[in-house]
Amino acid sequence: MRKENITVRALKRYGGFNKKYFPLRFFRILFECFSPYFNLWMSAEIVTALYEKQEKRVIFLLITITLFGNLFVHTMGALLGHLVNLEFKRLCDKEAAAFNQKTVSLDYSKLEDPKIRVLRRKIKENAFVNGYGVNCMRTSVEGILRSVISLAFAGVLFAEMLTRIASAEFEWLTWILLALMVVFTALAILAKNAVQEKEAGVFKRLNDWMLKENQLGQGHSLNGMDARVYKQQPILTRLEMKMNREHLALFSWARWRTWLHITPHILLSKIPEICAYTIVCFYCVRNIFPIGSVIKYVGYLYQFPMEILSIFYFRAELRNNEQFLVPYLEYLNLPNDMYQGTLAVEKRSDKKYDVEFRNVSFKYAGSDKYALKNVNMTFKVGERLAVVGMNGSGKTTFIKLMCRLYDPTEGEIYMNDFNIRKYDYRQYLDLFSVVFQDFSLLALPLGNNVSSSETWDAERAERCLRGVGLGERYDAMPKGLETPITKHFDDEGVNVSGGEAQKIALARALYRDAPFIILDEPTAALDPIAEAEIYSKFDEIVGDKTAIYISHRLSSCRFCDKIAVFDKGELVQLGSHEELLADQNGKYYELWTAQAQYYTK
Ligand code: ADP
């Protein structure tokens, strides 16, 4: 990424979210900048007219122009301000939507990649904790625009003043003072530029520290119960005080540094101001400038170097901000590498889909360890396959590969004799109804959750809810399928328990009616009675679908046709419960006897 183009590229992308915003902002700034110059000008004219004892008619006219001019400028300014705020809101909404859209459309493997997670977190933290990124870019660009427009207005007055000076007798002092103004403005800019890098370093240090503090704060987010039971408050309070002390020390250091850096620049920039006063007073005393010019010329002569300095300040701010735009652009431009496939998935009425894993191995991004190693397995439609093994043995990874959330690092997965990569990805996903261990529900009505869509077939949704044993709870819901399942957005919403949420996730899987149903620890959050109820209905729930079912509770796997036993990423056994139990040296026997002892003792 070429550095000099970063801001321009980010600006184009950002401005593209709402093409009306920047033109409106330009006009708003134009009115904002015009207002003080107009008032300076008119005040000077009124003072001069009063001093020169002009006719009342003239003075009245000047006052009327000032009042109506201000009325117009302020009314237009307020109207433009309102429009700008409206368009800014639209821009922010679109920008946030584009960011979220990027996240949801990203290959799952990338979404989970630790490096990309860090990138996403950095963008958000820089924006929310310190305001860097696109927001800083916008305010800096607007700052530059404001200064350029102000300079243009000041230029008009400056030209008027130079014409007056040029028409008067030649005075060395004037030109020396004007030259001093230019020289000291330039020196003030140089002084500011000289410390720019040091200043950026100070802010970077402060910024990094605040990001660390924010992460620590999140890491220590208190679960009130643990903190109380383990009496953690004193440790946490001490930690908080230590962090506050560190923050204060760093903050004070940063402020002192900034003060030291900025002082030469402030002193140097005062000299042009003194020169401006001297020139204007000099000509006023000699009646070359009208008396009102003191107000007019001093105001803008002072403003002139200030605006130039401000342009340099915002330019440096833009440069400093580039480091925060890099992750932003990098994230938005992340390509999706996963091959999407083109082969149409056959919609078979007999639901005959055979799956085969051939020498499949897999490593997660950023990990050198194989999560799955050389897995070979075939299973046929209509079979009930249980997948068992200790924590971390690769069961969930096996499911994720099968659903193509990840592609294997080595080996291939086939469905009906075609590599699953060849199938149209969206169609392929439609083959699976999955209840993941860490499933998530939407903060929307029950109907949306069960159908995963904006509309739903009420009869089918109700059947699925009753099928998973949620009938009674459903009957008690005040608005039936319209009932939101949180209270976040609607007081009439209901809060569901972990077990009920898991049942809703099960009902969602059933509603989809896909040929494969995959349940990863489907009853982990259920009480024993609800669990027994689900098991007793399991055949009914699954029907003629192919079911893959991960469980820690081996007793619940007995009814499956085949049981796949995973150990340290490898498929170590495959067979029926009886076959596996017969092998007393096998992993299944070990797991079974370890669990059984709790029930038999
Ligand atoms: P199981 O479902 O049997 O508990 P998993 O399939 O979740 O096991 O995990 C298999 C291995 O892969 C474990 O060592 C786990 O730490 C690792 N793993 C799981 N998910 C990720 C991930 N997103 N990134 C890196 N490693 C992971």
Side-chain angles (χ1 to χ4, degrees):
M1 202 177 285
R2 271 175 51 219
K3 228 181 166 192
E4 65 268 29
N5 284 334
I6 290 169
T7 301
V8 177
R9 283 171 49 191
L11 201 58
K12 276 190 194 157
R13 181 137 203 172
Y14 185 71
F17 290 128
N18 184 352
K19 295 211 164 71
K20 284 192 211 151
Y21 174 74
F22 279 110
L24 275 170
R25 194 76 185 99
F26 169 79
F27 283 109
R28 168 83 173 125
I29 294 175
L30 199 66
F31 272 86
E32 277 169 6
C33 293
F34 178 67
S35 174
Y37 283 95
F38 173 71
N39 281 311
L40 266 183
W41 188 294
M42 292 312 295
S43 307
E45 294 300 321
I46 292 169
V47 169
T48 306
L50 286 171
Y51 183 75
E52 290 172 355
K53 297 201 170 45
Q54 297 230 11
E55 281 178 50
K56 279 187 191 147
R57 192 171 50 83
V58 175
I59 295 169
F60 180 72
L61 183 67
L62 286 172
I63 293 174
T64 311
I65 292 174
T66 310
L67 286 178
F68 278 95
N70 269 313
L71 196 68
F72 173 72
V73 169
H74 285 290
T75 314
M76 281 304 289
L79 177 68
L80 281 168
H82 170 69
L83 292 176
V84 163
N85 285 343
L86 215 67
E87 295 307 329
F88 181 55
K89 168 89 179 75
R90 289 200 177 118
L91 189 150
C92 290
D93 288 350
K94 282 200 183 163
E95 198 261 333
F99 194 86
N100 290 340
Q101 183 57 33
K102 182 74 206 177
T103 304
V104 294
S105 64
L106 211 54
D107 284 347
Y108 185 75
S109 53
K110 287 207 169 155
L111 192 73
E112 287 280 289
D113 185 331
K115 272 198 235 136
I116 291 168
R117 269 200 247 177
V118 169
L119 191 68
R120 201 166 44 239
R121 202 191 63 218
K122 260 195 196 167
I123 299 170
K124 297 218 157 162
E125 282 178 346
N126 284 325
F128 292 123
V129 180
N130 300 307
Y132 282 120
V134 283
N135 218 25
C136 176
M137 171 185 74
R138 181 183 59 81
T139 49
S140 301
V141 166
E142 287 172 7
I144 291 178
L145 199 61
R146 180 174 285 108
S147 295
V148 169
I149 294 174
S150 272
L151 271 182
F153 285 124
V156 174
L157 294 182
F158 193 58
E160 189 204 58
M161 189 189 84
L162 283 184
T163 320
R164 282 202 163 130
I165 292 177
S167 65
E169 219 174 289
F170 183 78
E171 288 286 353
W172 275 107
L173 181 65
T174 317
W175 296 104
I176 290 171
L177 286 173
L178 278 173
L180 281 178
M181 274 181 73
V182 174
V183 169
F184 278 95
T185 303
L187 285 177
I189 291 168
L190 287 177
K192 179 90 180 143
N193 264 6
V195 291
Q196 204 69 59
E197 230 166 77
K198 288 186 197 159
E199 196 70 344
V202 170
F203 281 112
K204 172 124 189 24
R205 213 172 133 186
L206 201 60
N207 182 46
D208 288 349
W209 198 91
M210 281 162 78
L211 291 184
K212 196 178 98 187
E213 187 190 33
N214 188 43
Q215 276 162 30
L216 270 175
Q218 282 175 7
H220 288 288
S221 60
L222 283 190
N223 167 349
M225 289 188 293
D226 287 339
R228 262 152 239 248
V229 172
Y230 294 104
K231 300 193 179 92
Q232 290 170 330
Q233 280 92 345
I235 320 174
L236 292 164
T237 310
R238 258 199 304 282
L239 182 75
E240 197 180 338
M241 281 165 63
K242 183 173 164 276
M243 299 224 3
N244 284 347
R245 272 197 306 275
E246 274 181 36
H247 193 171
L248 191 67
L250 192 68
F251 193 71
S252 153
W253 168 84
R255 288 286 139 205
W256 274 111
R257 275 294 163 121
T258 306
W259 182 80
L260 277 176
H261 290 157
I262 208 88
T263 303
H265 155 78
I266 290 177
L267 290 177
L268 286 168
S269 62
K270 284 288 152 195
I271 296 178
E273 203 180 326
I274 297 167
C275 296
Y277 265 106
T278 316
I279 298 174
V280 175
C281 293
F282 178 72
Y283 281 94
C284 269
V285 167
R286 297 172 66 209
N287 282 334
I288 292 167
F289 289 176
I291 189 76
S293 323
V294 178
I295 302 171
K296 190 163 72 173
Y297 294 156
V298 166
Y300 79 79
L301 268 182
Y302 166 66
Q303 205 56 31
F304 214 77
M306 286 297 132
E307 297 301 353
I308 294 177
L309 286 171
S310 154
I311 291 175
F312 277 86
Y313 167 79
F314 283 119
R315 195 174 137 259
E317 192 74 356
L318 275 181
R319 282 221 182 128
N320 181 37
N321 186 53
E322 277 179 354
Q323 59 182 310
F324 303 106
L325 288 178
V326 172
Y328 176 78
L329 287 178
E330 206 179 309
Y331 186 71
L332 288 184
N333 291 329
L334 273 176
N336 271 345
D337 301 328
M338 193 180 230
Y339 182 64
Q340 296 295 302
T342 49
L343 193 65
V345 174
E346 213 184 341
K347 295 231 164 34
R348 300 186 64 118
S349 51
D350 59 358
K351 297 193 171 147
K352 184 166 167 32
Y353 299 97
D354 297 342
V355 178
E356 187 183 354
F357 276 59
R358 291 189 196 161
N359 300 321
V360 170
S361 297
F362 180 73
K363 275 184 198 168
Y364 283 98
S367 165
D368 334 319
K369 207 181 93 194
Y370 278 102
L372 276 189
K373 187 93 185 89
N374 210 21
V375 173
N376 285 288
M377 186 200 297
T378 311
F379 56 92
K380 296 206 173 298
V381 70
E383 279 186 341
R384 310 273 191 265
L385 172 76
V387 181
V388 302
M390 315 250 281
N391 276 342
S393 58
K395 305 182 294 292
T396 303
T397 309
F398 169 76
I399 299 300
K400 285 180 178 170
L401 287 185
M402 185 161 151
C403 300
R404 259 205 98 198
L405 290 175
Y406 297 96
D407 280 332
T409 315
E410 290 151 37
E412 287 111 26
I413 305 170
Y414 284 81
M415 176 172 287
N416 292 357
D417 297 328
F418 286 104
N419 189 323
I420 59 172
R421 283 165 53 87
K422 295 210 168 123
Y423 290 112
D424 177 287
Y425 186 52
R426 293 182 71 82
Q427 286 186 25
Y428 181 76
L429 280 182
D430 286 341
L431 293 176
F432 301 96
S433 285
V434 193
V435 181
F436 287 108
Q437 243 178 74
D438 46 358
F439 65 90
S440 57
L441 297 179
L442 306 167
L444 288 174
L446 181 65
N448 294 112
N449 272 286
V450 175
S451 70
S452 284
S453 159
E454 284 174 54
T455 55
W456 56 81
D457 172 341
E459 206 184 302
R460 184 161 142 204
E462 209 181 304
R463 199 172 54 241
C464 295
L465 287 166
R466 293 195 191 284
V468 296
L470 212 58
E472 254 178 61
R473 183 75 177 95
Y474 167 67
D475 290 335
M477 289 206 182
K479 295 204 278 184
L481 290 165
E482 301 279 355
T483 312
I485 53 167
T486 72
K487 283 189 179 286
H488 293 328
F489 304 114
D490 190 338
D491 286 344
E492 287 197 65
V494 293
N495 287 324
V496 291
S497 69
E500 285 164 351
Q502 197 158 31
K503 284 183 180 174
I504 295 172
L506 270 167
R508 174 173 68 183
L510 287 188
Y511 186 95
R512 191 170 206 193
D513 197 23
F516 285 84
I517 183 157
I518 301 177
L519 310 173
D520 190 350
E521 288 287 338
T523 54
L526 301 185
D527 58 62
I529 295 174
E531 189 185 349
E533 191 188 351
I534 293 276
Y535 288 145
S536 67
K537 287 186 173 174
F538 194 76
D539 265 337
E540 193 187 316
I541 289 174
V542 168
D544 59 352
K545 297 177 177 63
T546 303
I548 303 175
Y549 166 66
I550 299 182
S551 180
H552 275 115
R553 246 170 289 231
L554 299 192
S555 56
S556 59
C557 302
R558 293 172 69 162
F559 58 86
C560 289
D561 307 312
K562 265 187 192 172
I563 299 171
V565 187
F566 279 81
D567 188 28
K568 300 187 186 89
E570 291 186 49
L571 173 67
V572 288
Q573 282 181 291
L574 182 67
S576 68
H577 170 73
E578 286 71 24
E579 284 164 6
L580 296 183
L581 208 56
D583 178 3
Q584 297 204 352
N585 298 317
K587 188 78 190 168
Y588 187 78
Y589 183 85
E590 183 194 321
L591 292 171
W592 177 265
T593 44
Q595 275 192 3
Q597 62 176 315
Y598 295 114
Y599 302 106
T600 50
K601 265 183 194 168

